[in-house]
Amino acid sequence: MASPQQKYNLTTIAELAADKILGQSFGATSQLQFSGHSSTSDQEYIINAMESEDSYANFPTPLNDSVSDESIEATNINQPNTEKAEKKQHKTSNCETMMHLIKGNMGTGILAMPEAFSNAGILVGSLGIPIMGLICIHCMHILVACSRRLSKKIGCQSLNYSRVALYAFKYGPEPLPKFARIARKTVNVFLLLTQFGFCCVYYLFVATNIQKVVCDWADRDPIGIYGYLVIILPFMVIFNFIKSLRTLAVVSTIANILQSLGICIIFYNLFQNLPSTSSRPLSMPLSTLPLYFGTAMYAFEGIGIVLPIENEMKTPKAFGGWTGVLNTGMVIVASVYTAMGFFGFLKFGSSVEGSITLSLPVKPLYDVVRIMFSIAIFLSYALQFYVPMQFIWPYIQKKGKLSERLSSKQEQMLEYVLRIGLVTITFGLAAAIPKLDLFISLVGALASSSLALVIPPMLEIIVYMDSSMSTIRWILIIIKNSLITLFGLIGFMTGTYASINSIRVAFQNP
C-alpha cells in the first residue's frame, strides 16, 4: 500500500506554489493537505519525500490495455482510494481552468513587451510574438500528449514535467533508459534556474521602480540603483522568513489585484496621443533579434503549470483541441502581450525602458502605478522564492542528516541562514547586472527557452517512437520537432550570447 506521506520533486513543489498563486487546488496527486497541517508539518512531508535522491528508483512496469492494482500503487502517489477522499477533491470547470492558465502565464513579462519590440521593430515584433506564441502553445500540447500517453502506459492518473522526462527516457529505446534520472534532473535544474532568474528580476524590478519614484519627486538620484538594492535587502530577507503557503496565498491575492489595476492604468495611458505607425521602424538590425527572443521567452514561460492545470479539470478532454481551453487561453495571453508591445513601442519608441512602468510620465497617477507594481512584485518574490527553497532545504537536511546531528532549534536557525544566503545571492546577481531589460532577456534565453521549446519536441520523438503511426507521418513529426528544437537551441545560444554581450557593453559604456 502506498505511504500516506507524499513524495515531491521540484515540479510538484512548483505546482503547490502555482496552486496558491491561482487560488484553486490542482495537481491532486501532489498536493499538501493544507487544512490538516501547519507549515512545520508541510516541511516534514517534503523532507520525508526526499529521503532518497532518486525518488523514483522503482519504475512501474509499462501496461498495455489494462491497469493492475499493483502498478497503480507503484505509480500513483497518495492517490485517494475512497469515495470520501474523491469528494474532497475540487475539479475545475473549463472557465476556471482558463482563468488559471491566463493568470499563470501573464506575469511581469508583459511589462517588458514594449522593450522587446524596440529590439525587433513594430512589424517584426507584431508578427514574432504570435508566431512564438503558436510554437509555445504547440509545445504545451506536446507535453500534455506525452503525459497522457505515458500515464496510460504505466497506469497512473497523471504526471508532472520532470516525471514525463523521467519515464520518456526510461521506456525509450536503448541507450536512453540509463539517462532517465539525468533527464529528470535536467528538467529540475532548468526549473531552478528559471525560478532564481525570476527572483533576481523581481528584486531588480522593485529597486528600479522605487528609484524612478524617488527621482521623480526629488529631481535627482541621491544613492543610485545599488543603494536601493541594499535598502531593500533586509526587507526581502525578513519577508522571506515566511514559510506558510497559506500566508503567501493571501499576499499573492493582494499582488494580483494591484497588478491587474496597474495594467489597466497603463493601457489607459498608451491609448492617448498615439503617433503614426510610420514613425516607428518596421524592423531592427538582426543583431538585436536575440534580445527580442529572450524577452519574449521570459514572458511566455508558463509551460510548467500546464500539466497540473490539465490534471485537475472536470473534463480534461476539453483542454486540447482547436477551440479548447489551452488554445483559447493562450491566444488571449499572446494577444495581450502583442497589444502591450505594439502600443507601448508605438507610444514611446526606442527610448522605452526595460519595464514600461519606467517610461510612464512623471505624474502622481503613474508614480502610484510604479508603487503599486513595486509592492505587487515585492509580495510575489516570496512565492517565487518558495519553489527553490523547498527543493534545496530538504535536500540539505537529508544529505547532512541534520535531524540526527542538530536540535530542532539549531536546524531552524540553519534554515534561516540558508534563506538569508539565497536571498543575498539574488541580491548579488541583481547588483552584478543592474540592467532590467538585459536581465529579463538573459533569463528568458538561458532557462525559459529550454523548458518551452527544446525539451518538449525531444520528448515527443522519444515517447512516440514505439507507436504504430505511418512512416510519412513519423517523418513529418521528426522534421517538425527537429525544426522547433533547432529554433529553440539557436534562440538559446544567440539570445544568451547577445544578452551577455549587451551586458558587457553596458558596463563598458555606462
Side-chain angles (χ1 to χ4, degrees):
M1 184 65 65
S3 169
Q5 292 181 332
Q6 300 172 338
K7 295 182 179 179
Y8 294 86
N9 62 9
L10 179 58
T11 313
T12 52
I13 295 170
E15 291 171 12
L16 296 175
D19 177 35
K20 287 301 177 182
I21 294 174
L22 303 177
Q24 292 286 349
S25 299
F26 56 75
T29 62
S30 60
Q31 289 182 5
L32 295 174
Q33 304 301 318
F34 293 102
S35 58
H37 301 286
S38 65
S39 60
T40 303
S41 298
D42 297 344
Q43 293 285 339
E44 292 174 355
Y45 269 67
I46 296 172
I47 293 167
N48 293 331
M50 294 189 172
E51 287 181 347
S52 171
E53 181 178 357
D54 294 317
S55 303
Y56 312 108
N58 298 319
F59 295 99
T61 303
L63 306 175
N64 294 322
D65 299 323
S66 61
V67 178
S68 66
D69 293 336
E70 292 76 15
S71 64
I72 292 178
E73 288 187 354
T75 57
N76 288 355
I77 300 172
N78 197 35
Q79 288 278 10
N81 53 13
T82 65
E83 292 184 7
K84 183 178 180 180
E86 289 199 16
K87 287 180 181 179
K88 289 184 178 180
Q89 294 180 8
H90 174 77
K91 294 293 184 178
T92 57
S93 66
N94 293 352
C95 184
E96 288 174 325
T97 303
M98 186 180 300
M99 293 306 299
H100 295 342
L101 185 66
I102 292 173
K103 287 190 288 184
N105 279 273
M106 198 173 294
T108 56
I110 188 175
L111 302 175
M113 281 294 102
E115 196 278 333
F117 271 58
S118 70
N119 289 315
I122 198 164
L123 176 61
V124 175
S126 299
L127 295 176
I129 294 296
I131 291 174
M132 280 192 282
L134 288 174
I135 296 174
C136 289
I137 294 170
H138 179 67
C139 288
M140 291 177 182
H141 280 289
I142 288 176
L143 191 61
V144 171
C146 290
S147 175
R148 288 176 177 176
R149 182 175 176 85
L150 288 171
S151 297
K152 182 178 180 181
K153 189 172 187 177
I154 63 180
C156 70
Q157 182 178 346
S158 61
L159 296 171
N160 56 40
Y161 200 158
S162 65
R163 286 197 207 171
V164 171
L166 177 78
Y167 291 125
F169 274 72
K170 177 61 182 178
Y171 298 127
E174 292 293 342
L176 295 182
K178 66 178 67 174
F179 300 107
R181 292 182 181 86
I182 294 177
R184 171 174 60 86
K185 291 176 181 178
T186 299
V187 171
N188 286 341
V189 165
F190 278 113
L191 283 168
L192 269 177
L193 286 175
T194 301
Q195 291 302 129
F196 270 120
F198 287 165
C199 288
C200 294
V201 169
Y202 281 23
Y203 198 129
L204 190 55
F205 179 94
V206 175
T208 53
N209 278 270
I210 292 177
Q211 180 189 34
K212 177 67 174 177
V213 173
V214 172
C215 291
D216 289 348
W217 286 91
D219 292 327
R220 63 190 182 93
D221 187 5
I223 58 177
I225 186 63
Y226 297 107
Y228 296 101
L229 289 170
V230 172
I231 291 173
I232 295 171
L233 179 58
F235 297 98
M236 282 288 192
V237 169
I238 294 172
F239 186 63
N240 282 277
F241 283 166
I242 298 175
K243 294 186 280 187
S244 170
L245 271 178
R246 183 179 289 113
T247 302
L248 293 179
V250 175
V251 299
S252 176
T253 302
I254 298 173
N256 288 337
I257 294 172
L258 293 175
Q259 285 181 283
S260 300
L261 183 58
I263 289 175
C264 292
I265 297 175
I266 289 174
F267 270 114
Y268 166 78
N269 172 266
L270 295 183
F271 292 148
Q272 299 183 58
N273 304 318
L274 284 171
S276 170
T277 54
S278 60
S279 63
R280 305 298 179 219
L282 297 179
S283 62
M284 299 298 284
L286 189 62
S287 60
T288 63
L289 285 181
L291 297 175
Y292 167 74
F293 171 85
T295 305
M297 291 313 305
Y298 174 91
F300 273 116
E301 180 45 44
I303 195 167
I305 67 169
V306 169
L307 291 181
I309 289 177
E310 186 261 351
N311 290 339
E312 274 305 293
M313 289 185 65
K314 291 179 181 177
T315 54
K317 291 183 179 179
F319 192 70
W322 287 100
T323 58
V325 171
L326 178 58
N327 283 355
T328 305
M330 289 306 298
V331 165
I332 293 174
V333 170
S335 299
V336 175
Y337 279 163
T338 304
M340 179 65 81
F342 179 88
F343 290 106
F345 180 57
L346 181 61
K347 181 71 176 285
F348 299 108
S350 298
S351 63
V352 68
E353 299 285 348
S355 170
I356 196 171
T357 56
L358 304 176
S359 297
L360 295 174
V362 182
K363 293 183 179 180
L365 173 62
Y366 302 118
D367 280 331
V368 170
V369 170
R370 283 184 273 268
I371 294 173
M372 287 168 53
F373 271 105
S374 296
I375 295 173
I377 300 306
F378 175 84
L379 297 177
S380 301
Y381 178 100
L383 208 47
Q384 297 292 341
F385 181 82
Y386 181 90
V387 178
M389 182 63 200
Q390 297 302 334
F391 178 71
I392 295 172
W393 175 238
Y395 179 83
I396 292 176
Q397 285 181 308
K398 187 268 175 183
K399 287 298 182 180
K401 299 180 179 179
L402 301 185
S403 59
E404 301 175 5
R405 299 166 57 185
L406 301 175
S407 65
S408 59
K409 187 174 182 179
Q410 290 174 324
E411 196 172 347
Q412 187 178 48
M413 289 301 297
L414 184 59
E415 180 185 358
Y416 285 132
V417 171
L418 176 63
R419 287 177 176 271
I420 294 172
L422 292 178
V423 173
T424 305
I425 288 175
T426 63
F427 158 77
L429 291 173
I433 312 175
K435 305 289 183 181
L436 184 60
D437 54 338
L438 299 180
F439 211 134
I440 289 175
S441 181
L442 178 62
V443 172
L446 180 63
S448 300
S449 61
S450 300
L451 291 173
L453 298 178
V454 177
I455 297 177
M458 295 172 60
L459 293 179
E460 184 181 37
I461 292 177
I462 297 172
V463 170
Y464 286 88
M465 194 168 288
D466 61 347
S467 65
S468 58
M469 67 178 65
S470 64
T471 303
I472 295 178
R473 185 182 177 187
W474 179 242
I475 292 174
L476 291 176
I477 288 179
I478 292 178
I479 294 174
K480 179 259 296 180
N481 287 359
S482 298
L483 291 175
I484 294 176
T485 302
L486 181 62
F487 174 69
L489 289 174
I490 292 175
F492 168 82
M493 292 184 290
T494 60
T496 302
Y497 172 79
S499 299
I500 294 175
N501 186 60
S502 297
I503 292 169
R504 179 184 61 83
V505 171
F507 277 100
Q508 290 178 348
N509 304 290

